[in-house]
Amino acid sequence: MTKDFRFGLSVRFFKSRAGLVDLAKRAEDLGYDVLCVPDHLGAAAPFPTLTAVAMVTTKIRLSMYVLNAGFYKPALLARDVGALQVLSEERLELGLGAGYVREEFEAAELPYPSAGARVDHLEHMTAYFCQNHPTVPIMIAGSGDRVMTLAARHADIIGLTGAKVRDVEDPLAERIEFVRNAARERFDPLELNLVITAVPREGERKPSLSLTRRNAPDLSDDELLALPAVLSGSPTEMADKLRSHRDKYGITYFTVQDNHVETFAKVIAELR
């Protein structure tokens, strides 16, 4: 059975309450299914931002893409999750990740644990929420084997962050096959998510590749344009690429940055 598409909008910054309210209402009206907020120092704070969105919307779901688990203790995070779940009338999806930016830990005056310790804490956090908030869907995003195994066994949504795997022709397919093997009988109900890193501006066919190039500085423009997370062409052509991702990879949930809210809405319309 073919799964339906879902579309997320990531909000990193806003200048005023009115601007955030307008963006949230537009996203809901344009057909976005999820509004999410990342968890980085210097950007919007996830919980107050999502609470404000919850109070002015009725359908769009709320998420974090994704919380840095190392910033939180389970019981204290659960208090915020429980409050937001009530205020949003059960529209919350909890996004979790291991955290990776050393400078942010240092700015928060927190020790920067080893990669293994950060994943251990993510696993502890995931187990706590599976037991204490079982009705809140969990997204886990990452790329490494341990994080992907944890996601495959315990999450409802898996964020594929597009890590490069050496000596593999199709890194995205390799990661999904890894998840499939780790999830076993859990795989079919899982929802796979991909963040779109480049979308053309209105009236243009080629996107800015600056964000995508940060993670793949050695690739040519043509190689970057061919990446699964990069869209180009008309709305119809972009929609066709996302359909092919569903057919080839089983990915049905796509997230874009909020500066593409209007342009990507035309792609959504092609797929609905």
Side-chain angles (χ1 to χ4, degrees):
M1 181 177 179
T2 302
K3 294 180 182 178
D4 292 336
F5 285 110
R6 286 208 306 162
F7 304 102
L9 188 72
S10 179
V11 177
R12 290 179 59 91
F13 306 101
F14 57 89
K15 294 181 178 180
S16 67
R17 179 184 183 277
L20 176 63
V21 168
D22 177 67
L23 177 61
K25 289 183 174 180
R26 274 195 295 146
E28 189 169 63
D29 290 343
L30 289 169
Y32 287 88
D33 301 284
V34 184
L35 187 145
C36 62
V37 180
D39 189 16
H40 291 293
L41 296 184
F47 279 97
T49 302
L50 292 172
T51 299
V53 171
M55 304 303 286
V56 297
T57 57
T58 59
K59 297 179 296 183
I60 198 166
R61 296 185 67 81
L62 312 172
S63 186
M64 310 86 177
Y65 204 116
V66 285
L67 292 180
N68 180 346
F71 285 175
Y72 307 92
K73 298 296 184 181
L76 297 177
L77 179 60
R79 178 176 61 178
D80 289 345
V81 166
L84 184 51
Q85 180 74 329
V86 170
L87 292 172
S88 68
E89 298 182 315
E90 301 186 350
R91 287 184 280 148
L92 178 62
E93 298 175 1
L94 177 62
L96 296 172
Y100 62 94
V101 183
R102 176 190 290 272
E103 292 78 9
E104 292 189 3
F105 281 84
E106 293 172 349
E109 299 184 17
L110 294 170
Y112 183 65
S114 67
R118 297 198 307 275
V119 178
D120 286 343
H121 185 66
L122 174 61
E123 186 170 13
H124 173 56
M125 187 79 77
T126 302
Y128 182 94
F129 277 92
C130 286
Q131 179 177 352
N132 292 280
H133 285 273
T135 63
V136 178
I138 294 176
M139 166 191 270
I140 294 178
S143 60
D145 287 358
R146 280 196 63 199
V147 173
M148 290 289 93
T149 299
L150 175 61
R153 294 177 179 173
H154 300 289
D156 304 286
I157 308 161
I158 297 181
L160 300 157
T161 58
K164 295 177 67 178
V165 179
R166 292 182 180 178
D167 303 321
V168 173
E169 182 178 353
D170 189 336
L172 183 57
E174 188 277 339
R175 288 291 80 189
I176 293 171
E177 187 61 22
F178 182 92
V179 168
R180 182 191 300 275
N181 292 333
R184 298 182 181 179
E185 69 277 359
R186 292 190 80 244
F187 183 76
D188 285 346
L190 290 176
E191 185 176 41
L192 303 181
N193 171 275
L194 182 67
V195 172
I196 300 300
T197 61
V199 177
R201 292 182 179 180
E202 180 71 27
E204 298 181 1
R205 294 182 59 81
K206 288 188 177 181
S208 167
L209 297 171
S210 58
L211 177 61
T212 311
R213 186 172 281 110
R214 293 178 193 174
N215 297 319
D218 298 329
L219 298 185
S220 68
D221 282 3
D222 287 343
E223 289 171 324
L224 291 174
L225 287 168
L227 292 175
V230 173
L231 299 181
S232 60
S234 68
T236 299
E237 290 169 321
M238 289 187 275
D240 286 343
K241 185 168 183 175
L242 298 188
R243 288 192 190 95
S244 72
H245 287 354
R246 181 171 64 179
D247 295 341
K248 181 177 181 179
Y249 300 113
I251 302 172
T252 56
Y253 177 13
F254 299 93
T255 302
V256 300
Q257 304 303 310
D258 60 356
N259 57 313
H260 302 308
V261 59
E262 298 288 347
T263 304
F264 192 74
K266 296 178 180 179
V267 181
I268 294 176
E270 293 272 347
L271 295 168
R272 287 272 160 81

